[in-house]
Amino acid sequence: MAFSSTIVNQKLNILEMGSLRFFFRHHGDFIFIVITSSDSSALLLDERMDRIISAVDLDKIQRALDTNIFLDDEDTENRIDEIFNFQDDYSDTNIESLKHIFEGEISRGDLLAAALMSLKGEIYYSSLPLEDLETSLREIELRSKANRREIVSNPKFIWQGGDKLIFSQVVSIETFHTPIYVVLLFNANTSLGMADFALEDILNKIREHN
């Protein structure tokens, strides 16, 4: 970090070493560090680190440092675990009724899993396996770097690999006051037409709900 500051006059934010990726977040006198695999989404980790900083009592940590006391804070550790396990509380957005829409479709068998997320990487709901969640987030990340407006004007994304088919689309939902990504996971044997129909059907139910 001293090298980065001295040579290029910038703070180090991401460092890749072999199969690992180190994310650094400077906040006041503290530096938060998260270590992940090299293919982890920077968009997701950036958003998760925002939540960690909000969850941690920095004054308590500073007092422990000032008095040279070892800080054993189980409540903070549990909150951080919840953040990385995507156990976020969105009760104020009435997310439960939206979850019922996804879970109803999944129970019928054609749809394997689904997710609802913001363009910043906030996970409002997800039943996706982590690797598929990462795939979707990396797509958002890449397209965000290219042009955020392009995401909204060309909102649909289709990805097929192995035994999986991912369909996603950006949609505006009043509840969230921002464009939202709806991501659906199908078996690769599902036809594109069928997957597209299922996506449109879910989007219509979400719009009707709002």
Side-chain angles (χ1 to χ4, degrees), residues 96-112:
E96 286 300 319
S97 53
L98 293 177
K99 284 171 62 176
H100 289 320
I101 294 174
F102 291 115
E103 290 168 357
E105 296 298 320
I106 292 170
S107 67
R108 279 191 274 275
D110 294 327
L111 180 63
L112 299 180

Side-chain angles (χ1 to χ4, degrees), residues 56-76:
V56 172
D57 186 340
L58 296 178
D59 290 336
K60 181 188 287 188
I61 295 175
Q62 188 62 61
R63 286 194 298 271
L65 292 172
D66 292 341
T67 54
N68 203 27
I69 296 175
F70 176 73
L71 182 64
D72 185 11
D73 189 346
E74 186 176 348
D75 288 340
T76 298

Side-chain angles (χ1 to χ4, degrees), residues 126-161:
S126 178
S127 58
L128 293 174
L130 184 57
E131 61 180 302
D132 299 310
L133 182 63
E134 289 277 2
T135 296
S136 301
L137 285 163
R138 284 197 298 273
E139 172 62 20
I140 297 174
E141 184 180 342
L142 289 171
R143 295 174 72 182
S144 294
K145 287 179 180 178
N147 190 332
R148 184 185 174 92
R149 291 181 182 176
E150 185 180 338
I151 294 180
V152 180
S153 60
N154 298 288
K156 192 167 291 187
F157 165 63
I158 303 172
W159 179 87
Q160 191 165 7

Side-chain angles (χ1 to χ4, degrees), residues 158-177:
I158 303 172
W159 179 87
Q160 191 165 7
D163 59 349
K164 299 172 182 177
L165 172 66
I166 294 177
F167 256 61
S168 66
Q169 184 165 332
V170 175
V171 59
S172 293
I173 300 177
E174 277 186 28
T175 303
F176 299 97
H177 309 291

Side-chain angles (χ1 to χ4, degrees), residues 32-119:
F32 292 78
I33 304 172
V34 174
I35 304 173
T36 71
S37 62
S38 58
D39 59 353
S40 295
S41 164
L43 188 70
L44 174 61
L45 266 297
D46 195 51
E47 190 272 338
R48 292 290 100 177
M49 290 182 84
D50 281 341
R51 292 185 178 277
I52 288 174
I53 292 170
S54 297
V56 172
D57 186 340
L58 296 178
D59 290 336
K60 181 188 287 188
I61 295 175
Q62 188 62 61
R63 286 194 298 271
L65 292 172
D66 292 341
T67 54
N68 203 27
I69 296 175
F70 176 73
L71 182 64
D72 185 11
D73 189 346
E74 186 176 348
D75 288 340
T76 298
E77 290 180 7
N78 290 337
R79 284 199 298 271
I80 291 174
D81 285 342
E82 289 173 357
I83 289 168
F84 276 105
N85 289 323
F86 307 109
Q87 297 172 350
D88 305 328
D89 180 12
Y90 289 107
S91 56
D92 60 331
T93 62
N94 197 23
I95 195 66
E96 286 300 319
S97 53
L98 293 177
K99 284 171 62 176
H100 289 320
I101 294 174
F102 291 115
E103 290 168 357
E105 296 298 320
I106 292 170
S107 67
R108 279 191 274 275
D110 294 327
L111 180 63
L112 299 180
L116 190 67
M117 64 187 78
S118 77
L119 301 186

